[in-house]
Amino acid sequence: MITNRERILSKIKSNLGKEKDRAKIDIDILEARLKGSMPSLIPKRGIIQQDKLLEKFESSARGVDSSVSIIDDLSEIPKEVKYYLTQNNIASKIVVLPNKELDSIDWNKYPTLEVTKKFPDEKDETVFVSSYVAIAETGTIVQLSSSENPITSHFLPDNSIVLVKASRIVAAAEDAFKVMRKEINSIPRTITLISGPSRTGDIALNIELGAHGPRKVHLLIWNDTK
Amino acid sequence: MNNELKNKKTEIALFVTCLVDLFRPSVAFATIKLLKEYGYTVVVPKAQSCCGQPAYNSGDYEGAKKVASAVINEFDKYKNVIVPSGSCAGMMAKHYVDLFKDDPEFSKKSLIFSKKVQELISFLSKIPDRKKLHSNFKGTITYHDSCSSLREAGVKHQARELLQEIKGLKIKELKHTEVCCGFGGTFCVKYPQISERMVSEKVADAEASGAEILLSGDLGCLMNIAGRASREGKKIECRHVIEVMADMTSVSPIGKKMKREK
Amino acid sequence: MTVNPTSNNFKENAKKALADDNLQAALNNLKGGLISKRKEAIKRLPEFDAISTRAKNIKDEVFLDLDFYLEKFEKKTIEYGGVVHWAEDANDAKNIILELLKSINAKIMTKGKTLISEEIGLNEFLEENGIEPVETDLGEYIVQIAGEKPSHIIAPALHKTKENVADLFHEIHSPLGYKERQNSASALVAEARSVLRKRYLEADAGLTGANFLVAETGSTAIVTNEGNGDLTQSLPKMHIVLATIDKVVPTLEDVSTILRVLNPSATGQDMATYVTFSTGPKRRDDNAGPDQFHVVILDNGRSDLIGTDKQDVLRCIRCGACMNHCPVYGAVGGHAYGWVYPGPIGAALNPALIGIEKSHHLPNASTFCGRCEEVCPMQIPLPKIMRHWRNEEWKKKIPKYSVRLVLKLWLFLVLNPVLYRIVSSIFVRILSFFSPQKGYFSNLPFASGWTSVRDFPAPEGKSFLSQWEEEHDDNK
């Protein structure tokens, strides 16, 4: 029996005049294309000098309605988090993802800040996470799903506080993919590029923040390049 | 533009367009007057009627090809073909080539021909060492970019720059210069209600600009806008831009009758 | 069977739309917002044109070897534990999806925005089969609970004003405990968020579309702002992706290139809030994500366009810029088009999917003003494709006999210059003779389409060519 698959593919091939199998050289060219033989066309705004990355990331991130604060040391995190929550009238209660990186933060200095280490669910209001890399051109953070970083963590709570290491800020999305290809053997279930809080324009084209994902995104940039 | 056009004797063939021929001969006379003033010899090839757009845009490619090949054959002997319409110029310079893409005889011919065709305003703006327009026209105008002048002939700033040479003329821009007036050839009679909405908005835009006269480079748009303005009882007058440039505004505006005429 | 089009009623639909004050008020929002936001975004990207050309080339290149890229995508998806299903038409796709849902005994399926599910009429089909589809994109949700269809491809509820939405939510959500009628857009968004949160968690399966299928990695990608797609595809145990054959691109970098022109064109953003690549089901030790990942690749007539003069239409990335800038769409809105894809892209694409016989108005209801082509980030020659459809229509003799007769007569005259000159000058003389003192006709029996809405300017007098001939008897 001829399957749908065969019918669709053979119709395409016959319309292309490619009924015969491709020559090896043609396949080699196509395979090379899939391995990145075509150089990317990155606009000027996405080509950023190393020492300008942080500055550009910060301004792009604010441009997409994220708030930003910059810290020089990991030890400042609890204070900054507490300050952010107070400033924004958010309950002093956060969920911190249980992973190696965030485990090193000492939260005990601020007893009024209630910290739970777990994966958040829909009842948790504020989550504290870290980003894989960040993209300066568009103020984007990149999240890879993993056993330590379930993707739902970034969508269920109302507020996301995200730790971004300055050393992990790259210029453009293409650079983020480059880092990923170098560091990771197997592609994760999801790669998510997040630029600011969720939003919608579906009511009379007015942009409203906080559609289905987080209403607020706060980025704590740890300037670890100093 | 080649140096040859500096030559006073350069011959220009005028493609009148069917709308100008039938409804607004003044446009052709004004074109000839101005081109002559700039030193060109203007000829009007006899066997001309229409560029073929009605057939082409109705999907009758075979019919359009017949008209197009007749036009090419009649105008082929001239080096410069000037058209006082962005829409007809676009048809002749752009769409003939598409139409004859696979035609053994006319694919090349239409390509060569396409290089000779120029929309009038675009041509005027490119005349080397041209002396400024010296029209005695006085008044406030707004300029309607016809879609094909704008997008096929690439005319936008040229029209304004030329008009600004006229001392007594003031330009007030429309708010939406890039929006179609709703003519669209057969569209305006096939979908009159939609066309009505579009042209009403254009008339309102023109009125809001504060201009007394609306100028444009395409008679199709002008008849549409003038017709709607007239239906709405609006004062604004419509003219082909060349009438003002050639200082030939004694003729009544489109769709109006002035008293002092013979 | 695809969803039944009402495109042949375009004229009546348009008339109604023009008289619908509420719709006109809603459409008015379009003129300010999306057009100016796009302009601003493009100003921020001076290389827009060059990137647009690159984006176009990526798609053209893929279409030249479409079978290769699709097979590559399939292979990679399978490698990561996903399942690929091929659907030749709407029925295939619906049945595949139903079987998948039945296999896990699904009762509720959440949905991210997918135009293709509108194309195949998935919601109606699932409801008939006892499965509840829940739209989660706010616009789609509004349209779903109103019992309507989307009227715009990126803003499905564009035809509704804020007051319309407030009334609708009040009516539908009251029984759910949301007693108070909300007036502000933010409160309405918050209410929908709260209602839909429950639905995400209840759902047995989630269905999304795909903006891209990445051949290199076997990933499907969605581009959203609300985050609904991510919740739809991460919370239930099954994630189904419904995508058409034209969505495949070679690499992640190609996605990035196209995004650079997609986002500005669609919403005027430099980057959408969420771009998510999904590859296979959740990994063994993952704590979230679906257990099953299925991709349904649908053809539904698209492969017929490959290698033809209408192939360009498949480059479309569904940004909506063409309809935002279309004066016809702006006047009548999306519903008048009578099928899933409104505006210029619909006029170019729908005839391929539902047949020119059922959609002949769409490519005709255009002035060929060319603004759609000008703003299309994928440089699709939309007017040209519409004209090709008019050609198909002409060849099939779909236009009325009277229309064809008039055109034939005109052609005969135009091709006989001497006769043309005589007839046209008589025509002009008669018109001039009857020309009233005003300089226009308010009614011409043979041009009622014209004079029904505007006056007909009277000719100046004699035709130009006859005057010229009189002056230049010597034939030059």
Side-chain angles (χ1 to χ4, degrees):
Chain A
M1 204 186 93
I2 304 171
T3 61
N4 276 338
R5 180 183 187 281
E6 284 155 13
R7 262 199 299 270
I8 294 169
L9 289 174
S10 72
K11 207 197 288 172
I12 293 170
K13 281 187 213 171
S14 96
N15 285 352
L16 289 170
K18 290 187 179 171
E19 284 96 341
K20 283 186 228 146
D21 286 343
R22 285 182 177 74
K24 188 176 175 300
I25 181 160
D26 292 329
I27 294 180
D28 288 348
I29 291 170
L30 291 170
E31 292 286 353
R33 175 70 175 83
L34 288 175
K35 291 199 174 72
S37 64
M38 171 87 91
S40 291
L41 187 67
I42 301 175
K44 243 193 199 145
R45 71 176 189 206
I47 301 168
I48 305 158
Q49 281 181 343
Q50 198 69 33
D51 60 338
K52 293 275 186 289
L53 284 172
L54 197 158
E55 189 187 321
K56 173 69 184 163
F57 174 73
E58 185 191 351
S59 75
S60 303
R62 289 188 196 278
V64 293
D65 305 295
S66 294
S67 52
V68 179
S69 58
I70 300 174
I71 53 173
D72 290 329
D73 197 274
L74 270 188
S75 64
E76 297 170 46
I77 289 178
K79 185 184 78 188
E80 281 296 331
V81 168
K82 173 77 189 166
Y83 178 74
Y84 169 76
L85 294 175
T86 313
Q87 285 291 303
N88 288 280
N89 282 325
I90 303 170
S92 196
K93 196 171 155 190
I94 60 167
V95 168
V96 179
L97 291 202
N99 66 34
K100 272 171 248 135
E101 191 172 19
L102 301 179
D103 272 351
S104 61
I105 303 166
D106 180 14
W107 300 95
N108 293 327
K109 272 190 212 157
Y110 285 85
T112 54
L113 179 66
E114 194 184 315
V115 175
T116 317
K117 289 191 182 173
K118 65 161 195 159
F119 297 129
D121 55 43
E122 68 285 354
K123 291 182 278 302
D124 296 310
E125 199 184 348
T126 306
V127 68
F128 185 81
V129 295
S130 64
S131 79
Y132 173 68
V133 287
I135 300 167
E137 181 191 352
T138 47
T140 304
I141 55 167
V142 180
Q143 297 295 356
L144 307 185
S145 65
S146 70
S147 58
E148 293 198 328
N149 188 25
I151 190 60
T152 45
S153 311
H154 305 278
F155 290 93
L156 287 172
D158 276 4
N159 311 299
S160 261
I161 303 176
V162 187
L163 176 65
V164 178
K165 284 191 201 164
S167 61
R168 300 288 288 175
I169 299 174
V170 297
E174 284 81 353
D175 301 301
F177 296 144
K178 216 181 278 170
V179 174
M180 220 177 61
R181 290 181 204 284
K182 210 169 88 188
E183 295 180 346
I184 293 168
N185 298 323
S186 170
I187 194 165
R189 149 73 190 162
T190 52
I191 305 164
T192 310
L193 279 53
I194 303 174
S195 310
S198 81
R199 67 200 66 203
T200 180
D202 275 343
I203 297 179
L205 296 175
N206 293 313
I207 300 299
E208 293 294 334
L209 297 184
H212 296 283
R215 299 169 196 264
K216 287 193 170 74
V217 171
H218 182 65
L219 305 177
L220 273 182
I221 307 177
W222 171 25
N223 195 354
D224 61 342
T225 54
K226 260 198 174 168
Chain B
M1 175 98 356
N2 41 33
N3 269 336
E4 195 206 335
L5 285 181
K6 280 188 189 176
N7 185 341
K8 300 263 177 212
K9 292 281 176 319
T10 298
E11 196 176 53
I12 280 173
L14 179 66
F15 185 85
V16 180
T17 80
C18 55
L19 289 182
V20 167
D21 178 36
L22 301 182
F23 296 101
R24 196 76 181 164
S26 296
V27 173
F29 286 119
T31 304
I32 293 165
K33 178 179 175 235
L34 196 60
L35 289 174
K36 278 189 173 162
E37 276 176 26
Y38 283 127
Y40 300 108
T41 306
V42 182
V43 293
V44 181
K46 255 187 156 181
Q48 59 169 300
S49 52
C50 174
C51 66
Q53 269 191 92
Y56 185 54
N57 287 342
S58 297
D60 179 9
Y61 287 3
E62 290 314 308
K65 277 183 192 171
K66 286 183 194 151
V67 182
S69 50
V71 172
I72 293 176
N73 285 337
E74 177 71 5
F75 281 80
D76 225 9
K77 46 188 167 295
Y78 305 101
K79 282 189 177 152
N80 298 285
V81 179
I82 300 301
V83 189
S85 154
S87 157
C88 308
M91 177 71 192
M92 294 159 72
K94 192 180 158 208
H95 297 292
Y96 281 8
V97 180
D98 279 350
L99 202 49
F100 290 118
K101 206 174 56 207
D102 304 316
D103 187 291
E105 189 192 347
F106 276 91
S107 62
K108 207 167 175 186
K109 265 190 167 177
S110 63
L111 201 65
I112 297 168
F113 180 68
S114 73
K115 311 278 185 235
K116 302 177 177 180
V117 177
Q118 296 210 59
E119 189 274 337
L120 174 63
I121 304 305
S122 161
F123 175 83
L124 289 175
S125 72
K126 285 188 279 188
I127 297 175
D129 307 325
R130 181 180 55 80
K131 65 173 193 295
K132 294 205 162 153
L133 294 172
H134 61 273
S135 170
N136 291 312
F137 174 87
K138 279 188 180 55
T140 309
I141 66 102
T142 189
Y143 186 80
H144 165 67
D145 293 286
S146 86
C147 296
S148 32
S149 286
L150 185 66
R151 302 196 174 90
E152 289 183 349
V155 174
K156 189 175 174 75
H157 61 97
Q158 300 93 319
R160 276 93 176 160
E161 282 161 17
L162 281 162
L163 285 169
Q164 267 153 0
E165 294 175 8
I166 301 168
K167 287 209 180 74
L169 180 146
K170 244 177 83 183
I171 303 181
K172 289 199 171 164
E173 290 289 353
L174 296 175
K175 206 168 163 201
H176 303 287
T177 52
E178 310 220 317
V179 178
C180 175
C181 72
F183 172 62
T186 53
F187 172 85
C188 72
V189 290
K190 272 201 254 178
Y191 303 95
Q193 281 85 15
I194 304 173
S195 176
E196 176 188 7
R197 169 62 55 91
M198 291 161 68
V199 69
S200 306
E201 286 180 5
K202 190 56 76 183
V203 168
D205 196 357
E207 204 184 23
S209 75
E212 300 149 355
I213 301 180
L214 177 139
L215 301 179
S216 184
D218 268 88
L219 201 55
C221 308
L222 285 164
M223 289 179 67
N224 180 41
I225 299 169
R228 182 64 200 179
S230 161
R231 176 64 52 92
E232 291 183 14
K234 295 280 156 54
K235 274 214 310 253
I236 192 146
E237 298 178 351
C238 299
R239 289 183 181 279
H240 194 285
V241 64
I242 199 69
E243 297 170 22
V244 167
M245 289 181 179
D247 202 8
M248 281 182 63
T249 52
S250 55
V251 58
S252 299
I254 296 164
K256 283 196 179 4
K257 202 145 243 176
M258 293 198 305
K259 284 195 200 98
R260 40 123 216 94
E261 266 188 298
K262 52 179 173 175
Chain C
M1 252 289 293
T2 46
V3 173
N4 248 345
T6 60
S7 307
N8 276 352
N9 302 333
F10 178 80
K11 277 191 170 181
E12 295 76 47
N13 297 350
K15 215 180 269 178
K16 261 186 242 154
L18 285 163
D20 182 341
D21 292 341
N22 187 66
L23 172 68
Q24 293 298 325
L27 284 171
N28 237 344
N29 292 328
L30 198 63
K31 285 167 194 152
L34 291 172
I35 293 178
S36 56
K37 280 185 194 162
R38 172 186 170 276
K39 221 177 206 165
E40 289 301 310
I42 288 174
K43 248 191 236 160
R44 294 192 296 269
L45 186 62
E47 302 91 338
F48 185 89
D49 288 344
I51 299 174
S52 149
T53 301
R54 171 66 76 90
K56 165 191 183 286
N57 291 343
I58 290 170
K59 286 272 186 170
D60 284 346
E61 178 201 350
V62 165
F63 294 155
L64 280 178
D65 290 286
L66 184 59
D67 56 311
F68 172 87
Y69 285 108
L70 285 170
E71 286 191 77
K72 221 25 174 199
F73 169 79
E74 178 188 40
K75 187 165 164 267
K76 276 288 171 186
T77 306
I78 294 169
E79 262 177 51
Y80 283 103
V83 184
V84 176
H85 310 261
W86 300 74
E88 225 184 340
D89 58 23
N91 276 338
D92 287 343
K94 285 189 284 196
N95 288 323
I96 290 166
I97 293 167
L98 181 64
E99 286 310 310
L100 288 172
L101 294 171
K102 276 185 175 166
S103 73
I104 56 165
N105 202 15
K107 292 278 172 284
I108 300 170
M109 184 187 82
T110 42
K111 286 178 74 195
K113 192 150 90 66
T114 138
L115 290 164
I116 302 158
S117 90
E118 299 288 346
E119 180 180 322
I120 66 175
L122 183 62
N123 287 3
E124 295 81 354
F125 177 77
L126 291 182
E127 278 163 8
E128 282 162 22
N129 285 281
I131 293 165
E132 186 193 356
V134 180
E135 297 288 354
T136 62
D137 171 85
L138 183 56
E140 291 279 353
Y141 174 71
I142 291 169
V143 167
Q144 187 186 30
I145 61 175
E148 296 173 358
K149 292 273 161 206
S151 69
H152 188 282
I153 62 173
I154 66 158
L158 183 85
H159 57 285
K160 291 209 172 304
T161 61
K162 191 180 75 188
E163 282 63 39
N164 297 153
V165 178
D167 289 340
L168 178 68
F169 278 15
H170 187 52
E171 179 198 334
I172 303 290
H173 294 163
S174 276
L176 305 175
Y178 300 86
K179 296 291 180 205
E180 201 183 326
R181 183 185 185 276
Q182 300 297 339
N183 295 309
S184 70
S186 66
L188 291 165
V189 171
E191 188 172 302
R193 174 188 172 105
S194 161
V195 171
L196 282 169
R197 259 311 155 91
K198 276 190 219 109
R199 310 311 313 270
Y200 289 120
L201 298 163
E202 290 170 348
D204 306 294
L207 180 120
T208 64
N211 293 78
F212 306 96
L213 304 174
V214 187
E216 170 205 11
T217 57
S219 312
T220 67
I222 54 170
V223 181
T224 71
N225 277 312
E226 297 185 2
N228 64 309
D230 292 273
L231 289 170
T232 297
Q233 66 167 43
S234 309
L235 290 166
K237 44 189 180 286
M238 178 186 279
H239 176 199
I240 304 171
V241 178
L242 178 59
T244 48
I245 56 169
D246 49 310
K247 291 284 173 263
V248 67
V249 295
T251 65
L252 295 173
E253 282 76 5
D254 294 311
V255 172
S256 180
T257 300
I258 298 176
L259 283 177
R260 287 188 207 282
V261 291
L262 167 61
N263 296 319
S265 304
T267 53
Q269 290 166 290
D270 297 339
M271 179 77 167
T273 308
Y274 302 110
V275 177
T276 303
F277 298 89
S278 308
T279 318
K282 75 173 185 192
R283 307 297 184 252
R284 203 180 314 145
D285 48 358
D286 277 0
N287 283 299
D291 299 324
Q292 293 187 44
F293 177 67
H294 297 271
V295 183
V296 181
I297 299 181
L298 174 68
D299 180 351
N300 214 21
R302 286 165 176 81
S303 61
D304 292 332
L305 298 179
I306 294 292
T308 72
D309 55 5
K310 301 174 198 88
Q311 174 184 298
D312 292 342
V313 78
L314 296 178
R315 285 203 298 266
C316 177
I317 49 176
R318 306 285 185 265
C319 70
C322 62
M323 57 198 75
N324 297 343
H325 291 79
C326 175
V328 175
Y329 180 94
V332 302
H335 286 152
Y337 290 79
W339 205 60
V340 183
Y341 306 99
I345 186 61
L349 178 64
N350 295 355
L353 304 183
I354 59 178
I356 185 69
E357 291 82 359
K358 286 184 182 170
S359 57
H360 71 99
H361 274 301
L362 307 188
N364 278 290
S366 161
T367 62
F368 285 157
C369 78
R371 211 172 174 203
C372 51
E373 180 176 1
E374 185 180 77
V375 299
C376 176
M378 300 306 281
Q379 303 177 15
I380 301 171
L382 290 155
K384 187 167 157 177
I385 294 168
M386 287 181 226
R387 196 182 286 109
H388 285 333
W389 286 118
R390 293 187 190 182
N391 179 230
E392 299 276 311
E393 187 198 0
W394 185 265
K395 287 192 287 195
K396 288 184 174 168
K397 299 196 161 80
I398 296 172
K400 272 190 264 174
Y401 180 76
S402 57
V403 171
R404 287 185 288 130
L405 184 71
V406 168
L407 206 72
K408 281 244 158 23
L409 279 173
W410 168 86
L411 203 62
F412 177 75
L413 278 179
V414 163
L415 291 171
N416 294 281
V418 178
L419 188 64
Y420 172 84
R421 206 89 57 83
I422 297 167
V423 173
S424 66
S425 84
I426 294 173
F427 167 74
V428 167
R429 260 169 236 233
I430 295 174
L431 267 191
S432 302
F433 179 77
F434 285 106
S435 169
Q437 286 308 303
K438 302 176 289 206
Y440 62 86
F441 297 89
S442 9
N443 186 16
L444 278 181
F446 60 89
S448 58
W450 181 286
T451 53
S452 65
V453 301
R454 49 180 110 57
D455 295 333
F456 190 90
E460 255 180 80
K462 286 184 193 167
S463 79
F464 170 77
L465 289 173
S466 53
Q467 295 185 55
W468 187 258
E469 210 167 345
E470 284 163 22
E471 285 174 33
H472 300 74
D473 244 353
D474 53 339
N475 192 19
K476 240 191 201 181

